[in-house]
Amino acid sequence: MSEERSLNFIEEIVEEDIRNGKHAGRVLTRFPPEPNGYLHIGHAKSICLNFGLAHRYNGQTNLRFDDTNPTKEETEYVDSIKADIKWLGFEWANELYASDYFDIIYAFALTLIREGLAYVDDSTPEEIAIQKGTPTEPGTGNQYRNRSIEENVRLFEEMKDGKYPDGAKVLRAKLDLASPNMHMRDPIMYRIKHAHHHRTGDKWCIYPMYDFAHGQSDAIEEITHSICTLEFIPHRALYDWFIEQLEIFPSKQYEFARLNLNYTVMSKRKLLQLVEEGHVEDWDDPRMPTISGLRRRGYTPASIREFCERIGVAKRENMIDVSLLEFCIREDLNKTAWRRMAVLDPIKMVITDYPEGQTEALYSENNPEAEGGDGGRDLHFSNELWIEREDFMEEPPKKFFRLGVGLMVRLKSAYIVKCHNFVKDANGNVTEIHCTHIPESKSGNDTSGIHVKGTIHWVSVPHAKTAEVRLYDRLFQVEDPSNEDNDFKEYLNPNSLHIIPKAYIESDFANAETGKGYQFMRKGYFTLDKHSTPDHLIFNRTVTLKDGWVKK
RNA sequence: UGCCUGAUAGUAUAAUGGUAGUACGACGGUUUUUGGUACCGUUUGUCUAGGUUCGAAUCCUGGUCGGGCAACCA
């Protein structure tokens, strides 16, 4: 455990609270998603923060679904959210729902009405908006603001009893219509929605707003540190006001800057659009920044946790470079992924001095980074091999450490070969490369004394299996699609998915396992797609290898 | 032109009045049967103008720039 990292500002707050004996040193955080979409990498930051904080200070974290708007929420989302959090490696103390507190919150509302701190307003949304004023002009009241407590109680009960249609009335806090903080200008606490709720069914036709549910839920659970993103800063005054008036547990809200990643979008609304308009396959399309998309792409929980650790937590707006995310998954997979050979853009190599029909098994370790290579497997060698088209050049430049007439390379775990000539078709495309091999250079007991700069991967033609390979690139062509002049979808990268229908892969892939990351040597990290079958293997490229070769 | 926030290398993040540091990126080198990895090195920074102080990224004042706020969304 190297805990030398300095504390982020929230950890400092927590440590000070503990030092001061606040809540007897107890730490209880919560992760409060609205079940109206799938979790994305931005949520991962929040999850790591909340669960990480609890873990660090011997506390706990509740999973609470903020399900106060029945028209947008579905059980499907609840299930996916739970699965994603578990997959990331976190365990919540309690699975809770804001909707579990509807009775209590209703009682809270009644309490405020009886104290003259809330009233029923019959105005239309448009009227209310106008009456709220603008940031530079104070709001104005209306006649409903002066209703008697008795009338407010009666009307609110009638709202609950379904006497009024949607939008006919709302319950508002009687606060300060001239407040410089717009959220304090008599905020709406309850609205009428005759809608079926995914958990409470048709029991309610009035639902509390975020501002009259979130802090209340925090207080009910006795959350010590309620951590949310920066855009809730203006809500904090209201959060505190309700808690004060209700004299309930004094949870405190703290805000940090949400994660922004370049070349993607992070809002649920935009992600939903990409799914619904078919720009991507689904929420778990490997190009999506969703947790499920990253999982399908081949990201590991550890790599995402590491990423969240590295980006830090602060109040400053940020734009994180995807290269950091890529660094994290490469770092993880480099240590664990088995190396395999796959030829994505094949060209045939004929070894003219190797007997036709002869076959030879050559051992190759699974992972040179691991102790003992993490085991190994046999590669099958023959006189005809598939190699990568880009590993041969008719007119190689000076620093090209691969094949060209007269050049030598090592075939990984096999022999050094020398290229003598090549064959072209009528269109001028190279179709075959002819080489001879150096028998004394056999991998493992090389007595040839020959030193070559380049080593390339290969797959024996008669032994090769095939697979579909999907190469992914960034979803958008610009760093911040949401911040451009045009609609964000106009910046979609048309080449974000490149499908190779038939790549050649080594025969050991007959045992390929779902959920495991493989390194296709010199090509990148890949993982089996969820639609892959033994008869039709499909690999997703998680990320390329870092490419240090500068092409001229 | 109201209120709330924030500003440290390209990107993030530390330094809590006392040597501006770390990571990623970029660039260069060593090693290498992956142009990968590992290792070593280089590069670039306190938004601005004043003030307080022996000493300011840090405290104070003015300015500049960024983000948020006027949903019966969360």
Side-chain angles (χ1 to χ4, degrees), chain A residues 181 183 210-211 231-240 253:
Chain A
N181 181 345
H183 292 274
Y210 167 86
D211 285 311
E231 66 267 30
F232 290 96
I233 288 177
H235 296 252
R236 189 175 60 226
L238 230 201
Y239 181 102
D240 291 338
Q253 172 183 307

Side-chain angles (χ1 to χ4, degrees), chain A residues 144-365:
Chain A
Y144 307 114
R145 201 166 195 263
N146 302 315
R147 286 217 250 234
S148 70
I149 288 175
E150 293 68 34
E151 188 181 9
N152 282 320
V153 169
R154 178 177 58 82
L155 290 173
F156 186 53
E157 284 174 347
E158 287 176 357
M159 279 169 63
K160 183 196 76 170
D161 292 339
K163 260 191 121 166
Y164 306 106
D166 288 7
K169 287 178 167 43
V170 290
L171 181 71
R172 288 229 255 169
K174 194 189 270 189
L175 232 161
D176 178 6
L177 285 163
S179 171
N181 181 345
M182 299 297 293
H183 292 274
M184 300 296 270
R185 322 249 266 224
D186 286 15
I188 293 169
M189 296 162 60
Y190 264 92
R191 78 285 215 187
I192 300 171
K193 267 183 199 255
H194 291 270
H196 188 82
H197 186 278
H198 75 115
R199 298 196 90 233
T200 59
D202 299 312
K203 176 178 176 188
W204 297 88
C205 63
I206 57 170
Y207 293 92
M209 298 288 290
Y210 167 86
D211 285 311
F212 198 61
H214 201 97
Q216 290 58 37
S217 303
D218 285 342
I220 291 165
E221 294 171 24
E222 303 200 337
I223 298 295
T224 57
H225 302 265
S226 180
I227 301 163
C228 60
T229 47
L230 253 28
E231 66 267 30
F232 290 96
I233 288 177
H235 296 252
R236 189 175 60 226
L238 230 201
Y239 181 102
D240 291 338
W241 188 82
F242 279 131
I243 282 180
E244 240 171 79
Q245 302 310 316
L246 292 167
E247 298 180 315
I248 50 182
F249 184 85
S251 295
K252 286 287 175 196
Q253 172 183 307
Y254 303 94
E255 312 87 6
F256 70 99
R258 65 163 357 116
L259 164 67
N260 293 296
L261 245 198
N262 59 10
Y263 299 104
T264 190
V265 292
M266 208 72 96
S267 90
K268 278 191 205 170
R269 205 192 95 248
K270 293 196 174 82
L271 294 175
L272 215 209
Q273 254 184 80
L274 293 176
V275 172
E276 289 186 334
E277 295 174 18
H279 296 106
V280 295
E281 191 184 307
D282 205 342
W283 283 98
D284 68 350
D285 185 292
R287 292 165 293 182
M288 291 281 271
T290 51
I291 303 297
S292 49
L294 290 166
R295 175 167 59 230
R296 189 171 162 197
R297 174 87 171 246
Y299 275 79
T300 59
S303 69
I304 294 174
R305 278 186 258 119
E306 175 66 15
F307 172 73
C308 293
E309 184 66 33
R310 281 173 180 265
I311 58 178
V313 176
K315 292 188 89 129
R316 170 177 21 158
E317 304 276 346
N318 59 76
M319 175 68 80
I320 307 283
D321 203 306
V322 281
S323 65
L324 183 61
L325 222 205
E326 294 178 344
F327 167 82
C328 291
I329 188 58
R330 285 194 190 106
E331 183 189 42
D332 187 12
L333 257 18
N334 176 51
K335 285 180 288 196
T336 57
W338 281 0
R339 272 58 170 173
R340 289 292 180 269
M341 297 211 270
V343 177
L344 306 184
D345 183 15
I347 187 170
K348 190 180 282 184
M349 170 192 278
V350 179
I351 299 173
T352 54
D353 61 344
Y354 195 87
E356 202 175 326
Q358 182 172 316
T359 280
E360 171 173 15
L362 299 163
Y363 181 80
S364 191
E365 59 187 0

Side-chain angles (χ1 to χ4, degrees), chain A residues 49-204:
Chain A
L49 213 206
N50 278 295
F51 283 87
L53 218 46
H55 181 258
R56 187 182 179 117
Y57 298 107
N58 299 311
Q60 290 188 312
T61 305
N62 285 345
L63 167 60
R64 181 171 72 236
F65 290 96
D66 229 337
D67 55 352
T68 57
N69 185 356
T71 56
K72 289 168 70 180
E73 296 149 7
E74 293 173 29
T75 303
E76 174 200 347
Y77 296 129
V78 170
D79 296 337
S80 76
I81 288 168
K82 285 160 64 178
D84 285 349
I85 298 170
K86 280 186 196 161
W87 179 76
L88 278 173
F90 296 104
E91 278 177 42
W92 50 87
N94 305 100
E95 178 184 333
L96 303 165
Y97 296 79
S99 55
D100 292 340
Y101 311 134
F102 282 171
D103 286 301
I104 305 174
I105 295 172
Y106 177 77
F108 284 161
L110 243 20
T111 300
L112 293 184
I113 293 171
R114 292 202 173 100
E115 287 174 14
L117 295 172
Y119 63 98
V120 173
D121 192 330
D122 301 0
S123 308
T124 63
E126 295 73 27
E127 286 165 346
I128 289 177
I130 291 166
Q131 289 164 9
K132 272 196 179 178
T134 68
T136 52
E137 306 159 58
T140 55
N142 58 38
Q143 70 271 31
Y144 307 114
R145 201 166 195 263
N146 302 315
R147 286 217 250 234
S148 70
I149 288 175
E150 293 68 34
E151 188 181 9
N152 282 320
V153 169
R154 178 177 58 82
L155 290 173
F156 186 53
E157 284 174 347
E158 287 176 357
M159 279 169 63
K160 183 196 76 170
D161 292 339
K163 260 191 121 166
Y164 306 106
D166 288 7
K169 287 178 167 43
V170 290
L171 181 71
R172 288 229 255 169
K174 194 189 270 189
L175 232 161
D176 178 6
L177 285 163
S179 171
N181 181 345
M182 299 297 293
H183 292 274
M184 300 296 270
R185 322 249 266 224
D186 286 15
I188 293 169
M189 296 162 60
Y190 264 92
R191 78 285 215 187
I192 300 171
K193 267 183 199 255
H194 291 270
H196 188 82
H197 186 278
H198 75 115
R199 298 196 90 233
T200 59
D202 299 312
K203 176 178 176 188
W204 297 88

